Amino acid sequence: MTTYANLLTNLDADGILTITLNRPQALNALNVATVEELADVVRAATADAAVRALLLTGSGPKAFVAGADIAEFSQLDAATGRTFAGRGQEVFALLENCPKPTLAAVNGFALGGGCELAMACHLRVAADSARFGQPEVNLGIIPGYGGTQRLTQLVGKGRALEVMLTADMVNAPDALRYGLVNHVVPAEQLLEFSTSLLKKILTKAPLAVRYVIESVNAVFDEKRDGYTVEADSFAACCASEDFREGPKAFLEKRPAQFTGK
Ligand code: COA
């Protein structure tokens, strides 16, 4: 696997690739180089059969990702700002549309681009110490890596507007109440819990997992009809070897042995 300047990667025996954002001196803030490294690692992981799930987390106890790198983006103008947001959206869409499950294990501050990164993953588990927020209005900008869209999808319009308009941080219990995260766990159990959640998904039929992700994403894609995507996906599952195995294993009262074919 490639070595990165700003990311640590580790592939475990179950096929879970842990990607650790690793710029602790800047609370793991996302500079352009890190966004490009993310694009590279997600693309490579999607293509690599040995990788079955992706887990994103931040280096150190304090931050998941404290936002886009403020020092770096402070010189943007209209033209470069458009490119900056467009590219970030493109890269985060790779995570959202990854056919393998992606999970953000949020170990601390998830602000701005950090909150947006977590929201681009399929699942979010927060340490009880985690804090979320979209504080861009403090800087005279708005979320540009998909945050206005995904926060609204996850928590609804009223709460999303309050979070983005006030720039207030949301603590872990409130994030759970809002539906921004799936689970809150003690910080010391974050990785173990997150891994066990992914491992549970990895016992399921991989093609079915992939098609659930694709069909749910279609809800938010105005260019696609979600019901058509669902029916097509259902049909594809029915043609799979795993669909021969799943019902057979049930009737034989044994765990299914899925192959992803
Ligand atoms: N971009 C660049 N550098 C950042 C950063 C960011 N988004 N967030 C934190 N850092 C850097 C700080 O500049 C500081 O660097 P220094 O030690 O060289 O001075 C270092 O990380 C530690 O941050 P610091 O602010 O000293 O920690 P803190 O515990 O006092 O505060 C935060 C933590 C997260 C509340 C604060 O860092 C913060 O508000 N960060 C910006 C959040 C933000 O607006 N993100 C959205 C950007 S669109």
Tab-separated table of all heavy atoms in Angstrom, residues 25-27 29 62 66-70 73 109 111-112 135-136 139 169, ligand 1:
chain	number	residue	atom	x	y	z
A	25	GLN	N	-0.324	18.441	14.508
A	25	GLN	CA	0.120	19.816	14.813
A	25	GLN	C	-0.914	20.844	14.372
A	25	GLN	O	-0.937	21.973	14.885
A	25	GLN	CB	1.500	20.103	14.184
A	25	GLN	CG	1.540	20.275	12.671
A	25	GLN	CD	1.391	18.983	11.846
A	25	GLN	OE1	1.235	17.897	12.397
A	25	GLN	NE2	1.433	19.107	10.521
A	26	ALA	N	-1.789	20.490	13.433
A	26	ALA	CA	-2.845	21.391	12.975
A	26	ALA	C	-4.217	20.759	13.243
A	26	ALA	O	-5.177	21.012	12.522
A	26	ALA	CB	-2.681	21.685	11.489
A	27	LEU	N	-4.288	19.951	14.301
A	27	LEU	CA	-5.536	19.236	14.652
A	27	LEU	C	-6.124	18.519	13.426
A	27	LEU	O	-7.331	18.485	13.230
A	27	LEU	CB	-6.560	20.190	15.286
A	27	LEU	CG	-6.108	20.902	16.575
A	27	LEU	CD1	-7.262	21.705	17.179
A	27	LEU	CD2	-5.572	19.915	17.610
A	29	ALA	N	-6.147	19.238	10.379
A	29	ALA	CA	-6.847	20.075	9.385
A	29	ALA	C	-6.524	19.568	7.981
A	29	ALA	O	-5.419	19.104	7.686
A	29	ALA	CB	-6.421	21.534	9.533
A	62	LYS	N	-7.363	14.633	20.459
A	62	LYS	CA	-8.098	15.893	20.497
A	62	LYS	C	-9.030	16.121	19.303
A	62	LYS	O	-10.101	16.708	19.463
A	62	LYS	CB	-7.064	17.031	20.556
A	62	LYS	CG	-7.627	18.325	21.034
A	62	LYS	CD	-6.508	19.297	21.401
A	62	LYS	CE	-7.023	20.702	21.472
A	62	LYS	NZ	-5.976	21.668	21.775
A	66	ALA	N	-10.129	19.232	12.371
A	66	ALA	CA	-10.629	20.541	12.832
A	66	ALA	C	-10.981	21.463	11.670
A	66	ALA	O	-11.042	22.681	11.843
A	66	ALA	CB	-9.609	21.204	13.752
A	67	GLY	N	-11.200	20.889	10.493
A	67	GLY	CA	-11.655	21.713	9.377
A	67	GLY	C	-10.683	21.704	8.224
A	67	GLY	O	-9.642	21.045	8.273
A	68	ALA	N	-11.055	22.427	7.173
A	68	ALA	CA	-10.086	22.681	6.104
A	68	ALA	C	-8.983	23.545	6.707
A	68	ALA	O	-9.188	24.216	7.725
A	68	ALA	CB	-10.772	23.386	4.947
A	69	ASP	N	-7.813	23.514	6.082
A	69	ASP	CA	-6.663	24.242	6.629
A	69	ASP	C	-6.842	25.739	6.381
A	69	ASP	O	-6.716	26.207	5.245
A	69	ASP	CB	-5.375	23.715	5.988
A	69	ASP	CG	-4.144	24.249	6.712
A	69	ASP	OD1	-4.056	25.489	6.908
A	69	ASP	OD2	-3.290	23.437	7.094
A	70	ILE	N	-7.123	26.456	7.462
A	70	ILE	CA	-7.477	27.872	7.343
A	70	ILE	C	-6.313	28.689	6.765
A	70	ILE	O	-6.513	29.562	5.919
A	70	ILE	CB	-7.923	28.436	8.711
A	70	ILE	CG1	-9.183	27.687	9.190
A	70	ILE	CG2	-8.212	29.941	8.628
A	70	ILE	CD1	-9.637	28.037	10.596
A	73	PHE	N	-6.348	28.086	2.922
A	73	PHE	CA	-7.435	28.532	2.034
A	73	PHE	C	-7.756	30.015	2.156
A	73	PHE	O	-8.624	30.523	1.443
A	73	PHE	CB	-8.678	27.649	2.152
A	73	PHE	CG	-9.529	27.825	3.371
A	73	PHE	CD1	-10.130	29.041	3.674
A	73	PHE	CD2	-9.777	26.745	4.218
A	73	PHE	CE1	-10.944	29.188	4.788
A	73	PHE	CE2	-10.588	26.890	5.340
A	73	PHE	CZ	-11.161	28.122	5.617
A	109	PHE	N	-12.654	16.899	17.884
A	109	PHE	CA	-13.295	17.930	17.062
A	109	PHE	C	-13.532	17.437	15.635
A	109	PHE	O	-12.604	16.921	14.985
A	109	PHE	CB	-12.406	19.182	16.978
A	109	PHE	CG	-12.298	19.938	18.278
A	109	PHE	CD1	-11.087	20.011	18.953
A	109	PHE	CD2	-13.397	20.598	18.815
A	109	PHE	CE1	-10.977	20.720	20.145
A	109	PHE	CE2	-13.306	21.308	20.010
A	109	PHE	CZ	-12.088	21.367	20.674
A	111	LEU	N	-14.946	19.577	12.843
A	111	LEU	CA	-15.446	20.921	12.531
A	111	LEU	C	-15.272	21.196	11.041
A	111	LEU	O	-14.324	20.705	10.416
A	111	LEU	CB	-14.669	21.965	13.336
A	111	LEU	CG	-14.726	21.784	14.862
A	111	LEU	CD1	-13.823	22.808	15.545
A	111	LEU	CD2	-16.155	21.894	15.378
A	112	GLY	N	-16.153	21.999	10.486
A	112	GLY	CA	-16.013	22.395	9.087
A	112	GLY	C	-15.839	21.178	8.193
A	112	GLY	O	-16.660	20.252	8.212
A	135	PRO	N	-18.459	25.839	11.538
A	135	PRO	CA	-18.237	27.222	11.959
A	135	PRO	C	-17.803	28.172	10.837
A	135	PRO	O	-17.283	29.260	11.112
A	135	PRO	CB	-17.101	27.066	12.999
A	135	PRO	CG	-16.324	25.885	12.520
A	135	PRO	CD	-17.296	24.977	11.810
A	136	GLU	N	-18.058	27.795	9.583
A	136	GLU	CA	-17.559	28.590	8.460
A	136	GLU	C	-18.025	30.042	8.489
A	136	GLU	O	-17.295	30.938	8.060
A	136	GLU	CB	-17.962	27.942	7.126
A	136	GLU	CG	-17.179	26.681	6.785
A	136	GLU	CD	-17.766	25.415	7.385
A	136	GLU	OE1	-18.683	25.500	8.225
A	136	GLU	OE2	-17.303	24.322	7.013
A	139	LEU	N	-15.857	32.692	9.588
A	139	LEU	CA	-14.736	33.092	8.724
A	139	LEU	C	-15.219	33.836	7.477
A	139	LEU	O	-14.405	34.229	6.634
A	139	LEU	CB	-13.949	31.843	8.287
A	139	LEU	CG	-13.389	30.958	9.404
A	139	LEU	CD1	-12.833	29.657	8.832
A	139	LEU	CD2	-12.295	31.697	10.169
A	169	MET	N	-20.922	24.666	18.490
A	169	MET	CA	-20.520	23.260	18.441
A	169	MET	C	-21.628	22.390	19.027
A	169	MET	O	-22.360	22.812	19.926
A	169	MET	CB	-19.230	23.057	19.221
A	169	MET	CG	-18.028	23.630	18.499
A	169	MET	SD	-16.520	22.999	19.221
A	169	MET	CE	-15.449	24.420	19.003
B	1	COA	N1	-6.710	25.008	9.983
B	1	COA	C1	-5.420	25.223	10.233
B	1	COA	N2	-4.876	25.099	11.464
B	1	COA	C2	-5.700	24.743	12.475
B	1	COA	C3	-7.060	24.505	12.266
B	1	COA	C4	-7.573	24.646	10.952
B	1	COA	N3	-8.854	24.414	10.657
B	1	COA	N4	-7.626	24.195	13.462
B	1	COA	C5	-6.631	24.219	14.366
B	1	COA	N5	-5.473	24.551	13.779
B	1	COA	C6	-4.155	24.696	14.401
B	1	COA	C7	-4.087	25.973	15.239
B	1	COA	O1	-3.782	27.089	14.412
B	1	COA	C8	-2.970	25.621	16.212
B	1	COA	O2	-1.739	25.771	15.556
B	1	COA	P1	-0.483	26.424	16.338
B	1	COA	O3	-0.225	25.490	17.492
B	1	COA	O4	0.605	26.424	15.307
B	1	COA	O5	-0.927	27.776	16.786
B	1	COA	C9	-3.184	24.135	16.444
B	1	COA	O6	-3.968	23.657	15.360
B	1	COA	C10	-3.949	23.846	17.729
B	1	COA	O7	-5.160	24.577	17.703
B	1	COA	P2	-5.614	25.574	18.866
B	1	COA	O8	-6.575	26.549	18.286
B	1	COA	O9	-4.438	26.108	19.583
B	1	COA	O10	-6.358	24.544	19.844
B	1	COA	P3	-7.531	24.881	20.872
B	1	COA	O11	-7.694	23.651	21.692
B	1	COA	O12	-7.306	26.170	21.549
B	1	COA	O13	-8.842	25.051	19.952
B	1	COA	C11	-10.339	24.493	18.156
B	1	COA	C12	-9.342	23.969	19.203
B	1	COA	C13	-10.726	23.311	17.276
B	1	COA	C14	-11.596	25.026	18.865
B	1	COA	C15	-9.685	25.627	17.330
B	1	COA	O14	-8.441	25.150	16.861
B	1	COA	C16	-10.505	26.062	16.139
B	1	COA	O15	-11.473	26.782	16.287
B	1	COA	N6	-10.081	25.668	14.922
B	1	COA	C17	-10.687	26.101	13.703
B	1	COA	C18	-12.009	25.425	13.487
B	1	COA	C19	-12.655	25.907	12.220
B	1	COA	O16	-13.064	27.049	12.100
B	1	COA	N7	-12.769	24.998	11.277
B	1	COA	C20	-13.482	25.254	10.061
B	1	COA	C21	-12.603	25.724	9.010
B	1	COA	S1	-13.577	25.967	7.571
